[in-house]
Amino acid sequence: MMTSKAYREAYVWIWLPGETTPVVAGKLTVQNKALVFNYGKSYLERENKISIYEPELPLRSGILDLSPDLDMPGSIRDGSPDAWGRRVLINKRFGATGSSIDSFQLDELTFLLESGSDRIGALDFQLSPTEYIPRVSHNASLDELIQFAERVEQGIPLTRELDYALHHGTPIGGARPKALIEERGRKKYIAKFSSTSDLYSVIKAEYIAMKLAKAVGINAAEVHLKKSSHREVLLIERFDRVYMEEGWQRRSMVSALTLFGLNEMMARYASYETLAEIIRKRFQDASATLRELYKRLVFNILCGNTDDHARNHAAFWDGKMLTLTPAYDICPQPRSGNEATQAMLIVGNKRLSQIRLCIEAAHHYLLDRPTAISIIENQVKTIIENWDKVCKSALTSPIDRKLFASRQFLNLFAFENLDPDCQHLEKMIVEFKNSEGSL
């Protein structure tokens, strides 16, 4: 396996609440193949300091202990790139082709230090403790970014100029081609591109799901659908940035995986039930937040989003309390058969993508059975009522629309084995699928 020269330390810079420039918070150091963190003395002496995240990295001096299951703090790992960003960086370093990416290896400090600085959340990573030098890209058009993304997918090494343009997207999570763009200095977006390997319009499916999520009352990120170089581009407004005349403020975020204290290999044990328990104990306005999470769980099942893993849930952190971020990455997934499972456990050790499990789990969200059924019924009705309008706004082809309506959205598997007081829901779905408007 090919590797690169490894870094031994990095300084963690943070944007404190309300600030538009970062300060150094502390240092990451390699220790026995793990990354450990300690706060700087000057940071601990600041009046406006906040912990990067508690209880994981409390405000105290000295090297902070790692959980036995982690090889770096989860709140630091949240700032590191995932599949797509890593692929871009490996392409940059080695010119690796798509089929040989796994033959190349970069350590976590390299991913932190060589990915773009405009990463999700309020952290960045530098070699210097005194001088902050952001790693930024040159502005590029959507047409150019699509071409650059295709090069990475095909394993074609990027030129220096192309690398600068695409480098800006390296700190973002997820596996699909994407980049970060800024509009007139007032708004920031994550741009997701259709992939050359897509068998259907994945970008339009996500756009439809995100629009319908807002329609059912979920606090979801704003999305816009564009077309460039004959390919769809989904623009997602960033909710971790606040524009100010003097600059950009950044909002601290942690993933649900960090809230659970799990590493990537243990993510299969993440559960909605546990997240609901954390919300009851540590979130602002716990009752309203539990209801919001329940609505997201139900909608993920109704729209066929089985990629609801623990990195696709997140919370803002203000140094004292947590607040659920807007929903994001609600993307219907392809399915070969009717049966499907959610990425996170729903109740107990059950994860089947079925509404009956949502009803069984309702008490964990402080909801009684009638209220839970009412939430589900409202979502079903709203999806049906808004289906035609949202599909038309996405300029969905008849083939894709039929696929979405027959396989992903409101899949009949979700409504199997319901008790008598819920069976009217299945009837609504059958009528929807048989109606001319849905197909």
Side-chain angles (χ1 to χ4, degrees), residues 185-196:
R186 295 295 182 105
K187 286 189 177 182
K188 288 178 180 279
Y189 297 93
I190 296 172
K192 287 187 177 181
F193 311 122
S194 54
S195 172
T196 54

Side-chain angles (χ1 to χ4, degrees), residues 2-69:
M2 298 187 65
T3 61
S4 65
K5 182 179 179 180
Y7 297 99
R8 299 299 301 173
E9 64 182 26
Y11 292 90
V12 180
W13 291 66
I14 186 171
W15 277 254
L16 291 167
E19 300 295 329
T20 57
T21 55
V23 296
V24 66
K27 183 168 68 173
L28 280 172
T29 309
V30 177
Q31 186 180 91
N32 298 325
K33 297 183 179 181
L35 281 179
V36 295
F37 176 79
N38 66 281
Y39 287 105
K41 181 180 177 182
S42 62
Y43 184 77
L44 291 174
E45 292 173 348
R46 297 182 66 92
E47 291 186 5
N48 63 341
K49 63 185 179 293
I50 66 168
S51 64
I52 292 175
Y53 172 62
E54 289 185 45
E56 183 178 58
L57 296 177
L59 286 167
R60 63 169 183 254
S61 60
I63 292 177
L64 301 175
D65 293 333
L66 274 175
S67 165
D69 296 325

